[in-house]
Amino acid sequence: VHQYANGVSNAMDTINAARAAGSINQTAANKKAVFIGWSQGGLAAFAGAGLSEYMQQTGTAFDNLNMLGFIAMGPAYFGTSSGQLDHAAADKYLNDTLKSYVHNIFDFTHATMFFYALPSAFPDLKLTDLFTDDGVKVLTNIYSNKCMHAASDTMNYNIGADYNSLLKPQFTNTMAWAQAILKTSPAYEKLIAPVQIYYGAADNVNNPAMGQFFQAQMCKRGANVGRLELPGAKTGHFNEPPDSQQFFLPWIKDRFAGKPLANSCPAS
């Protein structure tokens, strides 16, 4: 089962992609690398920035990568400032996390594909904790055969406006689900390299507050995390990659050139 939006799993995949590319002699690659992602990839960039132990592994296809920076465009982030969850907090956290994505069929598909993936990584979770029996059948039939956007089209064609009926009125086993979600998108004590976030003020897929929360948590720990609101009040989620290019290309060039980077964290 594809670990859709499992930040840690996706970050490991991307680090391994860099190792694979570096191991190909014809690329003549050096060890310098920058990690860039949008949406799900922005979440992976957040996660990758904290995988110092994974980065330091030896015996890989291409040891000793020198990660110079991480760029996240319109990122998702499901972190929390509290290390402790009681059942009431877990109920609220899970409801807020899932139900913030159910205002249209497209976002519903994104959210439910993420939740559909988690039980294969966390065996104490069951899809019937969150979805009706019919909901589990529908999601399994679609998500086991199609990737995100094709799945969204199929959901729209077959389910239409009734997609919320696939959810149980009352979620169960919420503590285990909340803990699993946090493990896929942890708040790290130390980041490998600077992180730069680009977002549109009109992003209604991944709320810009997610990136702001990540920045606040990491800056408290001494990391260098910048955020830039892209120009244009109507810049939304799907405009972020082209609109941010004018900013991230020079940023990447400076990192490879070894130029110093001022602390981008906001003043307290």
Side-chain angles (χ1 to χ4, degrees), residues 179-259:
Q179 290 171 339
I181 294 168
L182 294 178
K183 287 178 182 177
T184 71
S185 180
Y188 295 103
E189 292 303 315
K190 186 176 181 181
L191 301 185
I192 297 169
V195 175
Q196 180 63 37
I197 302 168
Y198 300 100
Y199 69 96
D203 188 337
N204 59 8
V205 176
N206 287 330
N207 191 316
M210 295 182 184
Q212 185 177 27
F213 182 76
F214 177 87
Q215 181 189 48
Q217 296 303 307
M218 296 302 103
C219 285
K220 286 178 185 177
R221 294 163 169 79
N224 188 347
V225 180
R227 286 178 77 238
L228 177 67
E229 181 179 322
L230 298 168
K234 296 183 178 180
T235 300
H237 192 63
F238 296 94
N239 304 109
E240 287 161 343
D243 289 358
S244 61
Q245 183 169 311
Q246 60 183 307
F247 302 107
F248 71 67
L249 287 178
W251 194 91
I252 291 173
K253 185 176 181 181
D254 287 348
R255 302 291 73 73
F256 278 103
K259 292 185 177 181

Side-chain angles (χ1 to χ4, degrees), residues 2-153:
H2 187 288
Q3 290 299 295
Y4 178 74
N6 179 332
V8 173
S9 178
N10 299 166
M12 290 178 174
D13 289 342
T14 308
I15 291 169
N16 289 336
R19 288 168 171 165
S23 72
I24 300 171
N25 293 333
Q26 289 86 344
T27 66
N30 62 31
K31 300 290 183 175
K32 296 179 181 179
V34 167
F35 192 138
I36 180 168
W38 167 61
S39 195
Q40 175 190 4
L43 170 61
F46 282 171
L51 292 180
S52 57
E53 290 186 11
Y54 196 76
M55 285 288 297
Q56 294 165 8
Q57 286 181 342
T58 58
T60 71
F62 198 63
D63 288 351
N64 303 315
L65 279 176
N66 179 15
M67 198 64 72
L68 303 176
F70 297 82
I71 294 171
M73 299 173 286
Y77 181 63
F78 304 118
T80 176
S81 58
S82 174
Q84 300 295 322
L85 282 174
D86 58 25
H87 283 287
D91 286 344
K92 183 178 187 305
Y93 177 67
L94 196 69
N95 275 275
D96 289 352
T97 299
L98 180 54
K99 293 186 176 177
S100 65
Y101 281 93
V102 296
H103 51 276
N104 63 59
I105 188 68
F106 183 70
D107 294 344
F108 180 85
T109 306
H110 279 72
T112 54
M113 184 172 276
F114 167 61
F115 283 88
Y116 173 79
L118 284 180
S120 64
F122 299 92
D124 55 336
L125 307 180
K126 292 182 175 60
L127 290 174
T128 50
D129 296 334
L130 308 181
F131 303 101
T132 65
D133 290 342
D134 285 343
V136 172
K137 291 178 183 177
V138 168
L139 299 185
T140 300
N141 286 338
I142 297 174
Y143 296 165
S144 63
N145 288 287
K146 297 190 177 185
C147 295
M148 172 51 60
H149 295 273
S152 180
D153 291 340

